[in-house]
Every structure is written in C-alpha cells, then in structure tokens.
Amino acid sequence: MSDTQNAFRLIGSLDLTSLNHDDTEEKISSLCAKASTPYGTAAAVCVYPEWVSLARKLLKKTPIKVATVVNFPAGGNDFKLLKEEIKKSLSSGADEIDAVFPYRDFLAGNLDVCRRFLDITQRECAKHTAKIILETGELKHISTISAAVKLCLEYDINFIKTSTGKTPVSATIGAANIILETIRDSGRDVGFKASGGIKTFEEARKYLILSEVILGADWPNPQHFRIGASSLLDDLIRVIENGD
C-alpha cells in the first residue's frame, strides 16, 4: 500500500492519548475534538479515569471509543484498588480498559499474583475491551516478554500492549515482534497495541508492516491493531495532505 493509504489505516487504529498530570477539561475537550478528522476518526481516546465521563459525553455521537488506564503506571498488586478502578471507569462510561500487568511480581517469580491480576481484570471488564500493558522495556529479555504474553493469553483478554510510556524504554520493534509471534503461535484471537514514544508516521508504519508480515495483510484493523500516541496524528495528517 502507499504511504497515504497506510496513514488512513493508522488514523483508524489510533488510540489518541493524553495521560498527563496537568490534563484539564480544556485539554481533554481539545483531544476529543481532534480525534475526529477529515480523514476518519481515531479508534479511541485514552484518558485518565477522572476524565472518562467528560470524554464519554463529548464522544457520544461518534464511533470513537473511550479508553482509560488502571493499575497505572506502577503495575502494582493492590487488587482491591484494581477492582475499584475498573468498576468506576466502566460506570463512568469507559469502553476499554488498559491495565498495567504487575511486571515486578512477574520478574520476581510471583506468578500467583500475576494470575490473580489477570483473573480480576478479565472478570471485571466482562464484555468490555481489556488491554494488558506488559511494560516490555522493564521485562527486557525476549524470553521474559514471551513468557508474560503466554501467561496473559491463558485469559480472556483482548489486546497485549507494549508499554505505559512512563519508563525509559517504551515500545520497540523487537518487543512487538515477540508479542505478535506469540499471539500468532497461540492461535488466539487477541490484538496488539504499541504505545510509548511513537511520534511519526515512519515509526508507526513499522509496527503496521510488522503486523502484516506476521499475522497477515488483513489482520491490522482496529479490532486487532492499535497505536497509542499523543502527537502521531498530526504527522499522519501531514502524510495524507502531502500525498506522500
């Protein structure tokens, strides 16, 4: 496909994100307005839980989903809090939950903790979309990332996501390759989301092409493939308008 065609596809698979401590009603309103472009709509807007109800109100007449984050960004093991965060987010109007995997417990071999996290997230999200954020930059090694993905795939979750964007190493092509290959080999109908540090069309296109190579040309669609980013949209629009 041409760059222009891929830019259109990436807009439709974008989780337009604002997860900043200085977010305001004005900033979230601007984000929601930006998610509808002359070239299509983003797949979702991702905001902190306190902004979910505002985003839901602003996006109610659009096909754009409202996503939020829980257990974020630390990936802790306070499961009472995890349940409360998910319940509150869903009651406020969230369609999708991006939950941070307790990666420190995983690295320490506390698999019971990780399984409890996945079980709670699966049950509380129910029919809503659940994305598990592995924090691959902290897991580091190929074998460790693969093992974490395999554990997640034992549960009824919808997406495996690379990163929070809050650690020194966020999304990488290497981590994406391992996640996508593990999903393929499992035969499970689970999606992939790259997030953290992806700012340009050229960077985003690498993840799109990698997904096509590993899982097929028709696989990267909003039901299976997402890019989480805050500033990427402007570059995608540039590519379309320049006809690159």
Side-chain angles (χ1 to χ4, degrees):
M1 289 190 180
S2 69
D3 285 355
T4 300
Q5 289 172 312
N6 281 330
F8 272 106
R9 295 173 71 198
L10 287 164
I11 287 176
S13 292
L14 180 65
D15 283 5
L16 189 61
T17 301
S18 187
L19 296 170
N20 303 305
H21 292 300
D22 62 351
D23 283 337
T24 63
E25 183 174 336
E26 182 179 2
K27 289 181 179 179
I28 300 304
S29 297
S30 177
L31 185 80
C32 290
K34 190 175 181 179
S36 294
T37 83
Y39 312 109
T41 61
V45 163
C46 186
V47 297
Y48 275 127
E50 57 263 37
W51 299 113
V52 166
S53 58
L54 174 62
R56 175 79 283 148
K57 178 182 178 181
L58 294 171
L59 297 171
K60 65 181 179 181
K61 295 182 179 180
T62 78
I64 302 166
K65 304 296 185 183
V66 177
T68 193
V69 292
V70 300
N71 210 32
F72 188 93
N77 53 24
D78 185 337
F79 296 127
K80 180 181 179 182
L81 179 60
L82 175 67
K83 288 182 183 179
E84 291 173 352
E85 287 180 331
I86 295 174
K87 287 180 182 294
K88 184 176 180 180
S89 295
L90 294 178
S91 66
S92 296
D95 301 295
E96 303 182 348
I97 300 292
D98 291 30
V100 184
F101 186 66
Y103 60 90
R104 294 185 184 85
D105 281 292
F106 185 78
L107 290 170
N110 299 327
L111 297 187
D112 287 347
V113 170
C114 300
R115 289 184 181 280
R116 188 176 175 199
F117 161 83
L118 290 164
D119 182 63
I120 290 170
T121 302
Q122 170 187 274
R123 285 189 288 104
E124 296 298 331
C125 287
K127 295 182 180 180
H128 295 84
T129 297
K131 308 189 196 100
I132 305 299
I133 309 172
L134 291 185
E135 204 66 284
T136 52
E138 296 298 300
L139 296 179
K140 297 179 181 178
H141 302 294
I142 290 173
S143 59
T144 309
I145 295 170
S146 179
V149 176
K150 288 176 181 177
L151 179 61
C152 292
L153 291 174
E154 294 179 18
Y155 293 80
D156 188 18
I157 54 94
N158 305 99
F159 282 82
I160 303 291
K161 176 178 171 181
T162 58
S163 323
T164 62
K166 303 296 185 182
T167 56
V169 177
S170 292
T172 66
I173 287 295
N177 189 81
I178 294 304
I179 294 171
L180 289 164
E181 286 185 344
T182 307
I183 290 172
R184 178 199 63 196
D185 294 346
S186 74
R188 294 286 307 281
D189 186 21
V190 174
F192 165 74
K193 178 176 174 178
S195 183
I198 303 169
K199 299 179 180 180
T200 69
F201 166 73
E202 293 295 335
E203 293 169 337
R205 182 177 61 176
K206 292 177 182 178
Y207 292 97
L208 179 62
I209 292 173
L210 182 66
S211 297
E212 290 180 330
V213 168
I214 295 174
L215 283 154
D218 296 331
W219 190 84
N221 56 54
Q223 289 71 47
H224 292 118
F225 177 81
R226 300 284 183 89
I227 296 282
S230 57
S231 59
L232 172 62
L233 181 58
D234 291 338
D235 203 45
L236 298 179
I237 291 173
R238 176 194 64 79
V239 170
I240 292 171
E241 293 183 344
N242 289 347
D244 293 349

